[in-house]
Amino acid sequence: MQRTFKLLALAAALAVSTAAQAHSYWMVPSSTVLSSPQWITVDAAVSNDMFHFNHRPLAIEPLVIVAPDGSKVAPANVSKGELRSTFDVKLEQKGTYRLELVRAGIRANWKEGDKPKRWMGTAEAFAKEVPADAPDLQVSETISRLESFVSVGAPSALKVSGKGLELQPITHPNDLIAAEKASFQFLVDGKPAAGVEVTLVRGERRYRNAQDEIKVTTDKDGKFAVAFPQAGMYWLDADVQDDKVSVKAAKQRSLAYTATLEVLPQ
């Protein structure tokens, strides 16, 4: 029963990831910079307008909150409504907390007669549930990472996991100031990712006529720099595809990275 629940949860998560291709999915903390230990509340949703919950709640079952010392912090008061999910976090340590939602799985498409079949789940379930000789079988792996960061006192160093597409801060994500240049690096499996197109969009999109998105591309070392034009919450998104698969039947791997960054005024 527990295994069935996990498979359903993963399928739902992957479905949200697919939906997010047409919508934005995000987490927004009530505060990203705190002078002393205290509680924060986080909203999480899939929406048409950035950071405005108007479509569906985000499934947050895979949520992991990493404290500055590397320990894990459990969310409190977790709630899932019709339009958003929310949770609280008690931040007691000085330094930077990483809030992350990482999802990995397998997608498969094939035909049974004239009917298309679609499957999503874990690599373990794939071997048992998807016929290896299915007509027109197409298999791909997916890893997506959604993050936000909150610092108490002073920001502290952030470590990457070395798996999938990740953002390695050069400028700390809780030290972003409007009109000042900030630098970051993208890594794939811990190595610099060149030529990655990065999109940044400021929130409150519903109150302006243009998307006003910023697009930059990583250099040969996976690095890029950007000067945020004004203060506010920004949605950062990047996607990469390669053939470094772990399942033999898969031909392609899709990697996605999304983060919410707060830029403060000067």
Side-chain angles (χ1 to χ4, degrees), residues 3-205:
R3 178 177 177 276
T4 301
F5 175 79
K6 288 182 177 179
L7 290 176
L8 290 172
L10 176 58
L14 291 173
V16 167
S17 181
T18 301
Q21 301 304 314
H23 300 88
S24 303
Y25 63 113
W26 43 264
M27 290 189 292
V28 174
S30 55
S31 298
T32 63
V33 179
L34 302 168
S35 59
S36 60
Q38 58 186 279
W39 287 90
I40 62 166
T41 294
V42 181
D43 290 333
V46 180
S47 68
N48 299 315
D49 294 320
M50 205 68 66
F51 307 142
H52 181 76
F53 39 90
N54 58 7
H55 182 59
R56 61 191 297 181
L58 182 65
I60 58 172
E61 286 80 1
L63 172 70
V64 174
I65 303 169
V66 183
D69 66 356
S71 62
K72 306 294 172 54
V73 179
N77 304 317
V78 177
S79 175
K80 185 176 183 180
E82 294 295 331
L83 296 179
R84 64 172 171 174
S85 300
T86 64
F87 57 91
D88 298 330
V89 190
K90 191 175 185 180
L91 309 180
E92 299 183 288
Q93 297 179 26
K94 295 290 185 67
T96 301
Y97 288 75
R98 182 196 299 268
L99 285 61
E100 60 183 23
L101 277 164
V102 180
R103 295 163 174 142
I106 305 296
R107 290 177 182 165
N109 296 277
W110 69 94
K111 284 187 176 181
E112 286 186 1
D114 294 332
K115 296 182 179 179
K117 299 287 289 186
R118 178 182 296 177
W119 182 94
M120 294 178 290
T122 64
E124 179 187 25
F126 169 79
K128 299 176 181 176
E129 299 176 10
V130 177
D133 58 350
D136 298 329
L137 177 63
Q138 297 182 359
V139 182
S140 62
E141 294 184 29
T142 64
I143 303 176
S144 67
R145 175 180 290 272
L146 170 63
E147 294 185 327
S148 194
F149 310 91
V150 182
S151 289
V152 180
S156 58
L158 293 163
K159 296 181 180 179
V160 297
S161 70
K163 297 179 181 178
L165 181 63
E166 295 183 281
L167 185 72
Q168 174 66 66
I170 299 173
T171 303
H172 196 284
N174 293 136
D175 193 20
L176 304 178
I177 306 297
E180 292 186 1
K181 187 173 76 173
S183 300
F184 306 91
Q185 182 182 32
F186 263 112
L187 307 173
V188 171
D189 297 336
K191 298 180 180 179
V196 178
E197 185 175 89
V198 184
T199 301
L200 297 121
V201 181
R202 185 172 57 85
E204 300 187 330
R205 165 66 181 83

Side-chain angles (χ1 to χ4, degrees), residues 186-222:
F186 263 112
L187 307 173
V188 171
D189 297 336
K191 298 180 180 179
V196 178
E197 185 175 89
V198 184
T199 301
L200 297 121
V201 181
R202 185 172 57 85
E204 300 187 330
R205 165 66 181 83
R206 65 190 274 107
Y207 302 117
R208 60 183 188 271
N209 293 325
Q211 179 89 335
D212 289 344
E213 62 185 13
I214 303 168
K215 284 189 175 295
V216 293
T217 302
T218 61
D219 65 14
K220 62 181 179 59
D221 297 316

Side-chain angles (χ1 to χ4, degrees), residues 143 165 188 193-197 238-242 253-257:
I143 303 176
L165 181 63
V188 171
V196 178
E197 185 175 89
D239 302 277
V240 169
Q241 292 184 338
D242 63 24
R253 186 175 67 153
S254 297
L255 308 174
Y257 180 90

